[in-house]
Amino acid sequence: MFTLSFSAWTWENILIRIIVSLILGMVVGIDRGAKRRGGGARTTITVCLGATMVMLLEQYLETLYPGRLDISRIAAQVISGVGFLGAGSILVSGHQIKGLTSAASIWACACIGLGVGIGFLDGAVILTILWLIGLHFVPYIENKIYKHSRYMTLYIEAADGRGITLISRKLKEDNCFIDTFVVDKPKAKGQYFQIMTTFKLPKGIHRDAYLHTLQEINGVGTVTEL
Protein backbone atom coordinates (compact mmCIF):
# COMPACT_ATOMS: atom_id res chain seq x y z
CA MET A 1 0.00 0.00 0.00
CA PHE A 2 1.37 3.39 -1.06
CA THR A 3 4.60 1.86 -2.27
CA LEU A 4 7.26 3.72 -4.20
CA SER A 5 8.14 0.77 -6.43
CA PHE A 6 6.23 2.16 -9.40
CA SER A 7 7.93 5.53 -9.13
CA ALA A 8 11.29 4.24 -10.35
CA TRP A 9 12.18 5.37 -13.88
CA THR A 10 12.15 2.05 -15.74
CA TRP A 11 10.45 0.90 -18.92
CA GLU A 12 8.41 -1.65 -16.99
CA ASN A 13 7.04 0.98 -14.63
CA ILE A 14 6.33 3.40 -17.48
CA LEU A 15 4.32 0.72 -19.30
CA ILE A 16 2.42 -0.22 -16.12
CA ARG A 17 1.54 3.41 -15.45
CA ILE A 18 0.18 3.93 -18.96
CA ILE A 19 -1.89 0.73 -18.81
CA VAL A 20 -3.30 1.59 -15.36
CA SER A 21 -4.14 5.10 -16.59
CA LEU A 22 -5.96 3.61 -19.58
CA ILE A 23 -7.96 1.23 -17.37
CA LEU A 24 -8.94 3.83 -14.76
CA GLY A 25 -9.94 6.38 -17.39
CA MET A 26 -11.99 3.72 -19.18
CA VAL A 27 -13.76 2.64 -15.98
CA VAL A 28 -14.78 6.20 -15.17
CA GLY A 29 -15.87 6.88 -18.76
CA ILE A 30 -17.94 3.71 -19.04
CA ASP A 31 -19.66 4.53 -15.76
CA ARG A 32 -20.60 7.98 -17.08
CA GLY A 33 -21.63 6.60 -20.47
CA ALA A 34 -23.86 3.93 -18.93
CA LYS A 35 -25.89 6.75 -17.39
CA ARG A 36 -26.03 8.53 -20.76
CA ARG A 37 -24.03 11.40 -19.33
CA GLY A 38 -21.38 13.55 -20.96
CA GLY A 39 -17.69 12.73 -20.62
CA GLY A 40 -17.80 9.18 -22.02
CA ALA A 41 -14.99 6.65 -22.17
CA ARG A 42 -13.18 8.21 -25.12
CA THR A 43 -13.03 11.58 -23.40
CA THR A 44 -11.94 10.30 -19.98
CA ILE A 45 -9.36 7.92 -21.46
CA THR A 46 -7.85 10.75 -23.50
CA VAL A 47 -7.73 13.12 -20.52
CA CYS A 48 -6.33 10.49 -18.16
CA LEU A 49 -3.62 9.34 -20.58
CA GLY A 50 -2.73 12.92 -21.45
CA ALA A 51 -2.29 13.82 -17.78
CA THR A 52 -0.23 10.67 -17.24
CA MET A 53 2.02 11.65 -20.12
CA VAL A 54 2.53 15.07 -18.56
CA MET A 55 3.81 13.54 -15.33
CA LEU A 56 6.00 11.07 -17.22
CA LEU A 57 7.45 14.01 -19.11
CA GLU A 58 8.05 15.88 -15.86
CA GLN A 59 9.87 12.92 -14.33
CA TYR A 60 11.85 12.43 -17.53
CA LEU A 61 13.00 16.05 -17.51
CA GLU A 62 13.85 15.81 -13.81
CA THR A 63 15.92 12.70 -14.54
CA LEU A 64 17.61 14.35 -17.52
CA TYR A 65 18.23 17.67 -15.79
CA PRO A 66 18.27 16.97 -12.04
CA GLY A 67 17.67 19.97 -9.79
CA ARG A 68 17.16 22.37 -12.67
CA LEU A 69 13.38 22.09 -13.09
CA ASP A 70 10.30 22.38 -10.90
CA ILE A 71 8.59 19.02 -11.33
CA SER A 72 5.18 20.39 -10.30
CA ARG A 73 5.05 23.29 -12.75
CA ILE A 74 3.51 21.54 -15.77
CA ALA A 75 1.17 19.50 -13.58
CA ALA A 76 -0.23 22.70 -12.09
CA GLN A 77 -1.00 23.97 -15.59
CA VAL A 78 -2.84 20.74 -16.41
CA ILE A 79 -5.07 21.02 -13.34
CA SER A 80 -6.10 24.56 -14.25
CA GLY A 81 -6.17 24.04 -18.02
CA VAL A 82 -8.45 21.01 -18.01
CA GLY A 83 -11.10 23.27 -16.48
CA PHE A 84 -11.67 24.78 -19.92
CA LEU A 85 -12.37 21.32 -21.34
CA GLY A 86 -14.80 20.57 -18.52
CA ALA A 87 -16.59 23.87 -19.05
CA GLY A 88 -17.47 22.72 -22.56
CA SER A 89 -19.62 19.91 -21.15
CA ILE A 90 -21.78 22.27 -19.06
CA LEU A 91 -25.09 23.05 -20.73
CA VAL A 92 -27.76 25.55 -19.73
CA SER A 93 -31.08 24.23 -21.00
CA GLY A 94 -34.04 26.41 -20.22
CA HIS A 95 -34.28 26.54 -16.43
CA GLN A 96 -31.83 23.71 -15.75
CA ILE A 97 -28.05 23.42 -15.69
CA LYS A 98 -26.63 20.10 -16.85
CA GLY A 99 -23.14 18.70 -17.11
CA LEU A 100 -21.59 19.88 -13.83
CA THR A 101 -20.80 16.33 -12.71
CA SER A 102 -19.42 15.50 -16.17
CA ALA A 103 -17.16 18.55 -16.04
CA ALA A 104 -15.95 17.59 -12.57
CA SER A 105 -15.36 14.02 -13.79
CA ILE A 106 -13.10 15.24 -16.60
CA TRP A 107 -11.11 17.36 -14.15
CA ALA A 108 -10.84 14.48 -11.65
CA CYS A 109 -9.68 12.14 -14.43
CA ALA A 110 -6.85 14.55 -15.15
CA CYS A 111 -5.84 14.46 -11.48
CA ILE A 112 -5.96 10.65 -11.49
CA GLY A 113 -3.80 10.62 -14.60
CA LEU A 114 -1.26 12.90 -12.92
CA GLY A 115 -1.10 10.54 -9.94
CA VAL A 116 -0.62 7.50 -12.16
CA GLY A 117 1.95 9.32 -14.26
CA ILE A 118 4.21 9.97 -11.26
CA GLY A 119 3.82 6.39 -10.02
CA PHE A 120 1.24 6.92 -7.25
CA LEU A 121 -0.84 3.99 -8.46
CA ASP A 122 -2.26 3.00 -5.07
CA GLY A 123 -3.71 6.43 -4.45
CA ALA A 124 -5.11 6.69 -7.97
CA VAL A 125 -6.86 3.32 -7.76
CA ILE A 126 -8.30 4.00 -4.29
CA LEU A 127 -9.52 7.44 -5.34
CA THR A 128 -11.21 6.00 -8.45
CA ILE A 129 -12.99 3.28 -6.46
CA LEU A 130 -14.20 5.64 -3.74
CA TRP A 131 -15.20 8.21 -6.35
CA LEU A 132 -17.40 5.72 -8.20
CA ILE A 133 -18.92 4.48 -4.93
CA GLY A 134 -19.73 8.06 -4.02
CA LEU A 135 -21.33 8.79 -7.39
CA HIS A 136 -23.63 5.78 -7.03
CA PHE A 137 -24.59 5.98 -3.35
CA VAL A 138 -24.66 9.71 -2.61
CA PRO A 139 -27.86 10.27 -4.69
CA TYR A 140 -29.74 7.81 -2.45
CA ILE A 141 -28.58 9.69 0.64
CA GLU A 142 -29.48 13.03 -0.95
CA ASN A 143 -33.00 11.86 -1.83
CA LYS A 144 -33.68 10.72 1.72
CA ILE A 145 -32.42 13.97 3.20
CA TYR A 146 -34.16 16.21 0.65
CA LYS A 147 -37.51 14.52 1.32
CA HIS A 148 -37.39 15.97 4.83
CA SER A 149 -36.15 19.38 3.73
CA ARG A 150 -38.60 22.27 4.04
CA TYR A 151 -36.95 24.19 1.20
CA MET A 152 -38.35 24.01 -2.31
CA THR A 153 -37.02 25.34 -5.63
CA LEU A 154 -39.72 25.72 -8.25
CA TYR A 155 -39.91 26.63 -11.91
CA ILE A 156 -43.28 28.26 -12.61
CA GLU A 157 -44.83 29.54 -15.82
CA ALA A 158 -47.40 32.32 -15.52
CA ALA A 159 -49.59 33.63 -18.32
CA ASP A 160 -49.46 37.27 -17.23
CA GLY A 161 -48.44 39.68 -14.51
CA ARG A 162 -51.59 38.93 -12.53
CA GLY A 163 -50.53 35.28 -12.21
CA ILE A 164 -47.15 36.39 -10.86
CA THR A 165 -48.86 38.58 -8.28
CA LEU A 166 -51.16 35.75 -7.18
CA ILE A 167 -48.23 33.35 -6.75
CA SER A 168 -46.24 35.84 -4.70
CA ARG A 169 -49.29 36.66 -2.58
CA LYS A 170 -50.02 32.97 -2.00
CA LEU A 171 -46.49 32.29 -0.74
CA LYS A 172 -46.68 35.22 1.66
CA GLU A 173 -50.15 34.33 2.93
CA ASP A 174 -48.96 30.80 3.73
CA ASN A 175 -45.99 32.22 5.70
CA CYS A 176 -43.41 30.78 3.30
CA PHE A 177 -39.96 32.25 3.75
CA ILE A 178 -39.03 33.40 0.23
CA ASP A 179 -35.31 33.17 -0.47
CA THR A 180 -35.35 34.07 -4.19
CA PHE A 181 -38.08 35.08 -6.62
CA VAL A 182 -36.79 35.81 -10.14
CA VAL A 183 -39.07 36.55 -13.09
CA ASP A 184 -38.05 36.40 -16.76
CA LYS A 185 -40.31 38.20 -19.20
CA PRO A 186 -41.45 36.39 -22.36
CA LYS A 187 -39.47 37.17 -25.51
CA ALA A 188 -42.45 36.82 -27.83
CA LYS A 189 -46.22 37.09 -27.68
CA GLY A 190 -48.01 33.98 -26.51
CA GLN A 191 -45.15 32.85 -24.29
CA TYR A 192 -45.31 32.55 -20.50
CA PHE A 193 -43.50 34.51 -17.82
CA GLN A 194 -40.85 32.23 -16.27
CA ILE A 195 -40.45 32.28 -12.49
CA MET A 196 -37.62 30.71 -10.51
CA THR A 197 -38.24 30.76 -6.78
CA THR A 198 -36.73 29.14 -3.70
CA PHE A 199 -38.64 29.25 -0.45
CA LYS A 200 -39.07 27.44 2.86
CA LEU A 201 -42.36 25.77 3.66
CA PRO A 202 -43.78 26.20 7.15
CA LYS A 203 -44.33 23.07 9.22
CA GLY A 204 -47.53 21.18 8.59
CA ILE A 205 -47.66 21.75 4.82
CA HIS A 206 -46.96 18.76 2.58
CA ARG A 207 -44.69 19.39 -0.42
CA ASP A 208 -46.76 17.56 -3.05
CA ALA A 209 -50.02 19.03 -1.80
CA TYR A 210 -48.57 22.53 -1.97
CA LEU A 211 -47.39 21.99 -5.55
CA HIS A 212 -50.94 21.02 -6.48
CA THR A 213 -52.24 24.14 -4.73
CA LEU A 214 -49.95 26.42 -6.74
CA GLN A 215 -50.96 24.72 -9.99
CA GLU A 216 -54.61 25.62 -9.34
CA ILE A 217 -53.89 29.36 -9.23
CA ASN A 218 -55.46 31.24 -12.17
CA GLY A 219 -52.94 32.07 -14.87
CA VAL A 220 -50.39 29.43 -13.82
CA GLY A 221 -49.39 27.01 -16.56
CA THR A 222 -46.60 24.82 -15.19
CA VAL A 223 -45.17 24.21 -11.74
CA THR A 224 -42.07 22.01 -11.61
CA GLU A 225 -39.87 21.24 -8.62
CA LEU A 226 -36.16 21.33 -9.40
Side-chain angles (χ1 to χ4, degrees):
M1 184 66 67
F2 302 118
T3 62
L4 298 176
S5 58
F6 295 107
S7 299
W9 186 254
T10 64
W11 278 110
E12 292 81 3
N13 285 343
I14 293 173
L15 181 60
I16 291 173
R17 295 185 210 177
I18 294 175
I19 293 175
V20 171
S21 178
L22 173 66
I23 294 173
L24 295 182
M26 180 176 62
V27 168
V28 172
I30 290 176
D31 178 75
R32 300 297 301 163
K35 301 175 183 177
R36 299 298 188 268
R37 305 295 186 183
R42 289 181 297 178
T43 301
T44 52
I45 286 174
T46 303
V47 171
C48 203
L49 286 175
T52 297
M53 183 59 196
V54 167
M55 291 307 293
L56 289 173
L57 176 61
E58 293 234 42
Q59 190 174 6
Y60 173 75
L61 293 174
E62 176 66 20
T63 303
L64 194 62
Y65 306 105
R68 297 174 58 184
L69 298 170
D70 182 1
I71 197 171
S72 64
R73 182 180 302 172
I74 303 180
Q77 299 302 316
V78 171
I79 294 176
S80 59
V82 170
F84 290 97
L85 179 61
S89 64
I90 300 176
L91 301 175
V92 180
S93 177
H95 55 280
Q96 291 184 328
I97 299 176
K98 300 179 180 179
L100 290 175
T101 303
S102 297
S105 299
I106 293 173
W107 182 82
C109 265
C111 296
I112 291 173
L114 293 174
V116 174
I118 202 61
F120 189 36
L121 302 190
D122 295 343
V125 171
I126 292 173
L127 187 145
T128 302
I129 293 173
L130 294 179
W131 176 22
L132 293 178
I133 290 175
L135 287 179
H136 284 277
F137 285 96
V138 167
Y140 294 102
I141 299 174
E142 285 182 330
N143 290 334
K144 290 184 178 180
I145 294 176
Y146 293 164
K147 286 182 180 179
H148 300 285
S149 174
R150 306 306 303 170
Y151 280 91
M152 298 183 70
T153 298
L154 302 182
Y155 167 76
I156 305 173
E157 292 183 348
D160 49 32
R162 181 173 179 273
I164 298 173
T165 302
L166 291 176
I167 293 171
S168 176
R169 183 182 301 169
K170 177 64 176 176
L171 295 176
K172 293 178 181 178
E173 289 177 351
D174 294 335
N175 295 320
C176 296
F177 174 77
I178 302 175
D179 187 20
T180 60
F181 194 90
V182 180
V183 179
D184 289 335
K185 296 181 179 180
K187 299 179 180 179
K189 292 183 178 180
Q191 293 182 344
Y192 283 87
F193 287 86
Q194 297 179 341
I195 305 170
M196 288 284 294
T197 179
T198 298
F199 57 91
K200 183 179 181 181
L201 280 174
K203 294 182 179 179
I205 299 180
H206 193 271
R207 300 167 66 92
D208 294 336
Y210 200 69
L211 280 177
H212 184 69
T213 300
L214 294 178
Q215 289 174 342
E216 293 181 340
I217 296 176
N218 292 331
V220 174
T222 301
V223 180
T224 305
E225 184 174 6
L226 303 179

